Amino acid sequence: MAGDVTAKVRAAFSATDGNIAVVVEDVAPDGTAVRITQGWLKAGHRFGHHRAVPVRPGKTYDLEIRTWPTHYRLPAGHSLRVTVSSDDYPEIDSDAPEGRVDLRVGRGGTTIELTTWNRRT
């Protein structure tokens, strides 16, 4: 893996704001997981951090969340897990209003893109 993971999330919020967290982990065959990278977006900051723009409850938004860039070699037999959620406690403190986040999945919904580099030795 070389670069970042980008989650293109389709989500609706029941409140005037909400968080989306993307966490990428290396999962060993025994089930143990190691965090590789992460990224977060407060929906109200979807146009930048200079001023917050509230979301309209119930409206679906297309949001792009990028993780911190990384170079990581996934060992043979391991798998990559990408988790998209509305929280990443204790990594981020949520000051978003209490509410529900509905993530759209399936055709036309949320997608995950990652850059890979395959070096044959």
Side-chain angles (χ1 to χ4, degrees):
M1 207 174 116
D4 62 2
V5 173
T6 302
K8 294 183 179 177
V9 173
R10 299 202 81 205
F13 303 84
S14 65
T16 57
D17 209 347
N19 294 320
I20 301 289
V22 175
V23 176
V24 181
E25 296 172 301
D26 169 355
V27 182
D30 67 2
T32 58
V34 173
R35 185 178 288 225
I36 300 170
T37 188
Q38 67 278 326
W40 313 283
L41 177 68
K42 186 172 188 144
H45 290 227
R46 64 196 177 278
F47 300 117
H49 302 296
H50 56 281
R51 72 178 174 94
V53 178
V55 298
R56 195 172 82 223
K59 181 180 179 197
T60 299
Y61 291 89
D62 292 316
L63 307 168
E64 186 172 281
I65 299 92
R66 297 186 97 104
T67 65
W68 290 97
T70 188
H71 278 98
Y72 190 84
R73 185 178 302 220
L74 197 67
H78 287 223
S79 58
L80 195 63
R81 177 170 57 203
V82 179
T83 304
V84 179
S85 68
S86 62
D87 193 16
D88 189 21
Y89 181 82
E91 299 300 320
I92 59 172
D93 269 339
S94 179
D95 60 353
E98 188 173 318
R100 179 181 163 101
V101 178
D102 292 318
L103 189 66
R104 307 294 195 245
V105 295
R107 187 176 197 83
T110 298
T111 62
I112 307 293
E113 298 174 0
L114 66 135
T115 306
T116 59
W117 182 61
N118 188 4
R119 180 179 160 200
R120 301 199 187 271
T121 54

